[in-house]
Amino acid sequence: METLLANLVENNKETSDKVTSVKTLSKSFNQYKQNFFHHVPQAISTTLKVGKLSSMMGNILECTGLKGSIGDLFGIEVANGHLVTAEVVGVKDGRTLLMPFDKTVGLKAGCLVHPLGSSSSIPVGDDLLGRVLDANAKPIDEKAKLHSIHRQDIYSPPPSPMQRAHIDDIFYTGIRAIDAYTTLGEGQRVGLFAGSGVGKSVLLGMIAKQSSADVNVIALIGERGREVHEFIADTLGEEGMKKSVIVASTSDTVAMSRIKAAFTATAIAEYYRDQGKKVLLMMDSVTRVAMAQREIGLASGEPPTTKGYTPSVFTLLPTLLERPGKTKKGSITAIYTVLVDNDDMNEPIADAVRSILDGHIVLSRRLAHKNHYPAIDVLESISRVMAKIVRPEDRKITMKAKELMAIYKEAEDLINIGAYVAGSNKKIDESIEKMEQLESFLIQDMQESSEPGELWSRLEQIVNN
């Protein structure tokens, strides 16, 4: 009996030691998790499920041992303890495909992959005004820390057709060539089509400073790093920056970062719209977003179609471009710049974007060469809501002005070589007489503002003189 009791006591002691050892190990492991992920948002999963990096093909990272959904975030541990953040973009043959937000230097097969929760929301608040953010809505302007407590879903669906309010109010941009010839409405989505170096960024800065919007949300995607600072300091200026939020993802960032910046900017605009604000969303450029999606699609194994663009590009565009608009709470008026190769307005992305949006504004290289700024070709531009929001008498003035410009353009070659004889055609004679004043009306200096009240009265004076 004594031997049996001794054995029981010894077994209990071993069990107690094992329990104590397990508790100590568990406590140490929890402390490690807390220290390792102290920089990760609260959305991180409390259950640690670690996978491994198995292979890398371009920017596609294949991982094993993960159970991630599309849009989930994972951190890939590099040798120095740094985490390379990546998002799930697909699943293939039992492996999870990730695309990184950061540079992939230091990654190798066997690196541990940790879950970081979902990337579907960002912190938002009024303290975003006047700040410059990255694709994850984190400040990059070296100013005070943000204290936003609200969160906004960056992949929220567009408003349903029945929730959209009628566009019946004019949105003044402060640019005469737009307000008089291609009038925009509150909640309208319009494309700004141009080749490189024709003045898109300068025009966006002028609109941001002079428009009737309460808040500007400006996404600079794929821009040169030098241009971002110049746009903020010189083009936008202190006055425009006061009511603006800048989301920047420069050309050296990876494709996932450029795409997410577009959705982040849209989500910020939606937050201010839901606060009852009149928001202006400007994105420069949607073409670079499409190029980033093409890069991801090709790396994921999608078949290329027209000019190498994958089917997912043409699925992404309406998902992104349909989100702005006017609701019962507020409005988002959106201007998207579109880069056109060789000034070809019918290239795939330009054609797809034009079919989705509510109008297009075309910048002409020919006008830019004549030092005609902003270089807006009013005869090639159109607003699909102008007829509903402009008074009939004002619309007649605009149509008369466009008619005179179109007549002059048709006869311009004959006029320039001296082949046209005055008095041969009354309409051509009238267009020649008034063309100089019409062009003067369209030319506008960067610092010059346009008053809405005198817009059509000044144009009427020229047309009916």
Side-chain angles (χ1 to χ4, degrees), residues 20-21 25 58 74 92 95 106 178-180 183 190 223 239-240 246-247 260 295 301 351 355 359 438 454:
T20 303
S21 177
L25 180 61
F74 287 88
K92 181 180 180 181
R95 297 186 178 187
I178 297 177
D179 293 341
T183 313
V190 66
E223 292 289 333
E239 179 184 352
I246 308 293
V247 180
K260 190 172 183 181
E295 183 180 334
D351 198 43
S355 67
L438 289 171
E454 63 180 22

Side-chain angles (χ1 to χ4, degrees), residues 6-22:
N7 289 336
L8 287 173
V9 170
E10 185 64 26
N11 289 337
N12 286 336
K13 183 179 179 182
E14 290 179 3
T15 303
S16 177
D17 291 341
K18 289 180 181 178
V19 171
T20 303
S21 177
V22 170

Side-chain angles (χ1 to χ4, degrees), residues 439-450:
E439 285 189 340
S440 178
F441 175 84
L442 296 174
I443 295 173
Q444 188 171 338
D445 188 75
M446 285 178 58
Q447 308 302 326
E448 183 183 355
S449 60
S450 174

